[in-house]
Amino acid sequence: MSPWTRGGPVAGAGVLVSLLIAGHGLLPNWRGLGNVVDSALPWFGLAAPLLVLTALARRSWAALAGALAVTVTWAAAFGSAFLRDPAAGPRDLRVVHQNVDYFNPALPRTAAALRDTGADVLVVAELRDDPVQRDGTVDPGFARLIDPVLPHRFPDNPGVAVWSRYPFYGRPQPVPGVVRSRHAVLRTPWGDVSLYAVHITSFRPEPSVIARRNAEMAALARAVAADPGPRVIVAGDLNTASTDRALSPLAATVTSVAEKAGTGLQLTWPAALPLVRLDHVLTRGFTAVGSRVLPPTGGDHRAILADLRFTRSAPPSP
């Protein structure tokens, strides 16, 4: 058998992986299987070095061609993430989000790190309630570190807590169909901002759990699409990978800051060795000038930081 024909099954595997990367959205979402494949998509590229090693072991040009197909397809899908050139210029608003983990043993260290980011808006998921009051208010030790630098706080903590440098109108309201969520309008020197702080149902490869997650994502997408505000921010733990089809309806009306101004895949979970980006900041009416994932400080997610500039903004009043 010649080197061109030897290794046909290996080459076929390479072609199959390439087709999955390029056409994953066409897979039926039977019992959430499509969502699972979508979420794992960036890691399909690991097939390329495995196929190269197999091709060398078998001295097979066909297998090497399969590896090349995977490499080219992966690069076309994800290569631009490493070549982005964010907009130049100063920021007007810094948004930081982290799922800090209900069982975080280093919560004060996490709070101090978030305080020191210079955030103007801080969205925190899985923050413990006040252990004495048990009334939905936030952990007092965490609040003592954040309150002095971000004086405006949402008054309750339904699985997601928010601090802001700027005040907001009225009492924040839940997003219909999203259990752990709050929506409020912030008053900033550059104009009003419609803020959605969310913690979507966890993603696990169980059909009923995925269905609940997908239903909440659809509800959030409907709320954001119907929002008449010219400036919108969605921040939180969406439990949805950037490649997951469940993100598409939301991404049709707001844009990922990481995909506009971040370098690399910006993975956030698990904190020790991130494999997927579950945490997002998405906007409308802003220019993205920076996005990065912060080092771990406790908890099972890494924090994300997004720097924004108001579109056609004027300097704030003195």
Side-chain angles (χ1 to χ4, degrees), residues 28-40:
N29 199 22
W30 179 73
R31 297 176 65 83
L33 179 61
N35 295 128
V36 174
V37 173
D38 294 346
S39 300

Side-chain angles (χ1 to χ4, degrees), residues 85-276:
D85 184 17
R91 73 173 190 264
D92 294 327
L93 198 68
R94 173 167 286 178
V95 180
V96 175
H97 159 70
Q98 186 177 5
N99 180 326
V100 300
D101 185 2
Y102 287 123
F103 307 105
N104 185 343
L107 195 60
R109 180 162 64 97
T110 301
L114 291 172
R115 176 198 61 198
D116 294 342
T117 60
D120 299 298
V121 176
L122 174 64
V123 177
V124 180
E126 290 196 19
L127 179 61
R128 295 193 291 260
D129 288 347
D130 186 318
V132 176
Q133 300 294 332
R134 296 185 180 277
D135 58 356
T137 55
V138 299
D139 179 276
F142 193 98
R144 277 195 298 270
L145 291 171
I146 305 298
D147 286 348
V149 294
L150 296 174
H152 303 282
R153 189 206 314 167
F154 283 18
D156 53 3
N157 177 33
V160 58
V162 178
W163 280 263
S164 171
R165 193 173 307 279
Y166 306 110
F168 48 90
Y169 293 98
R171 186 180 181 87
Q173 299 297 315
V175 179
V178 184
V179 176
R180 297 177 293 188
S181 67
R182 282 296 182 265
H183 169 248
V185 177
L186 302 180
R187 294 184 290 165
T188 81
W190 301 272
D192 293 348
V193 176
S194 185
L195 173 67
Y196 293 82
V198 293
H199 183 194
I200 298 294
T201 291
S202 296
F203 178 89
R204 294 193 302 275
E206 301 174 19
S208 61
V209 175
I210 293 176
R212 288 198 301 272
R213 193 285 310 262
N214 289 351
E216 288 201 356
M217 284 297 295
L220 177 61
R222 289 192 297 270
V224 173
D227 193 316
R231 304 177 194 89
V232 174
I233 297 174
V234 179
D237 178 1
L238 302 187
N239 272 305
T240 303
S242 54
T243 48
D244 193 323
R245 67 192 70 190
L247 189 63
S248 298
L250 181 61
T253 58
V254 286
T255 302
S256 168
V257 178
E259 293 183 4
K260 283 290 185 181
T263 300
L265 299 178
Q266 304 253 306
L267 309 179
T268 63
W269 180 90
L273 182 63
L275 300 175
V276 65

